[in-house]
Amino acid sequence: RDYVMRAFFDQTQEIIYTLSKDGALFQWEYISVDELESDELESEGEGEAGSDSEESEKPEKKKENAQWRIVSKHYFHMEGTRVTCADFHAKSNTLVVGFSSGEFRLYELPEFNMIQQLSMGQNAVDTVTINQSGEWFAFGSSKAGQLLVYEWQSESYILKQQGHYDAMNAVCYSPDGSRAVTASDDGKLKVWDIHSGFCLFTFTEHTGAVNAVEFAKKG
């Protein structure tokens, strides 16, 4: 009932998760008409006597007349608050979602099991990114100008810094996970060392707000 904020492929590339602003998470799968018909036939044939011999493996058919269909729907029920950001780690099927109340939640997909529920304060969680291994989450709070790095398995904060004087708009990890870069309305880019918590560099060349930041794949 509201616009789609993020869309993620799972590791098999056969499932898409879409997350909308109103807090609805839909799971889509690419299903052919043949598959739907065979599923119906299988359900009708349940209970019939089976053969003792092993079934021969059927070759995979190219999905013709197929389309993406919603196979499940999940909702974040939170009164007086809204979804502000999310990121998905395909290898571990982990979804992290931030809310305007300052709360963030960790889910396991496709079962939609909530693993953790924590708050990083009263200010909204405006941006979140997961590192390559899926162990650390980097959160940015625009109003507080704050960067938090959280290790979810030990439930502890690795880094907690407030370095921007204006709204923080984006945060991203380096490919090796040792650095995080934040971008802000104050026109600055800051490079943080995850292990020490120190700001290593501050780039001040931008004359206007910086709204997005991304690392090259080679680092």
Side-chain angles (χ1 to χ4, degrees):
R1 296 180 181 177
D2 209 331
Y3 67 86
V4 176
M5 299 173 60
R6 299 296 305 272
F8 309 103
F9 276 102
D10 79 333
Q11 195 170 23
T12 67
Q13 305 288 294
E14 295 178 356
I15 295 175
I16 299 174
Y17 299 105
T18 56
L19 178 65
S20 60
K21 190 73 175 178
D22 60 349
L25 180 74
F26 290 176
Q27 179 181 334
W28 303 72
E29 291 185 18
Y30 197 61
I31 301 174
S32 67
V33 176
D34 293 338
E35 283 183 30
L36 292 172
E37 289 176 352
S38 64
D39 288 342
E40 290 173 2
L41 289 172
E42 283 177 11
S43 62
E44 288 174 4
E46 285 179 0
E48 294 179 3
S51 172
D52 292 334
S53 62
E54 293 184 2
E55 292 183 4
S56 60
E57 291 186 5
K58 296 178 181 178
E60 289 187 6
K61 292 182 179 179
K62 187 179 179 181
K63 291 182 179 180
E64 296 178 357
N65 300 324
Q67 60 182 343
W68 289 95
R69 295 171 181 262
I70 298 172
V71 297
S72 67
K73 298 179 181 181
H74 304 284
Y75 301 93
F76 305 102
H77 298 290
M78 296 192 67
E79 294 184 7
T81 188
R82 66 186 188 280
V83 175
T84 51
C85 60
D87 200 13
F88 178 66
H89 188 253
K91 191 174 182 180
S92 62
N93 279 325
T94 304
L95 176 74
V96 60
V97 184
F99 298 90
S100 58
S101 60
E103 182 182 314
F104 64 89
R105 295 180 184 180
L106 178 62
Y107 290 87
E108 185 181 23
L109 300 180
E111 294 83 5
F112 197 66
N113 295 327
M114 187 167 67
I115 303 170
Q116 286 185 18
Q117 180 179 6
L118 289 167
S119 176
M120 56 178 283
Q122 296 181 341
N123 296 315
V125 184
D126 294 292
T127 181
V128 61
T129 184
I130 305 175
N131 76 332
Q132 195 169 7
S133 66
E135 298 171 304
W136 294 347
F137 305 149
F139 297 98
S141 176
S142 181
K143 190 174 181 181
Q146 191 176 48
L147 168 67
L148 298 174
V149 177
Y150 176 75
E151 186 178 57
W152 71 271
Q153 290 172 326
S154 64
E155 299 186 23
S156 57
Y157 289 106
I158 304 299
L159 186 150
K160 197 171 185 178
Q161 290 287 352
Q162 188 166 351
H164 290 284
Y165 295 103
D166 213 331
M168 187 187 298
N169 297 322
V171 58
C172 79
Y173 275 107
S174 61
D176 63 2
S178 65
R179 305 280 189 269
V181 177
T182 55
S184 173
D185 272 354
D186 59 14
K188 293 179 181 178
L189 285 164
K190 287 183 176 285
V191 183
W192 304 86
D193 183 278
I194 297 299
H195 300 286
S196 68
F198 291 117
C199 178
L200 302 177
F201 309 103
T202 300
F203 296 99
T204 59
E205 287 81 4
H206 290 278
T207 55
V210 184
N211 296 313
V213 60
E214 189 70 37
F215 259 98
K217 289 184 179 180
K218 293 183 179 180

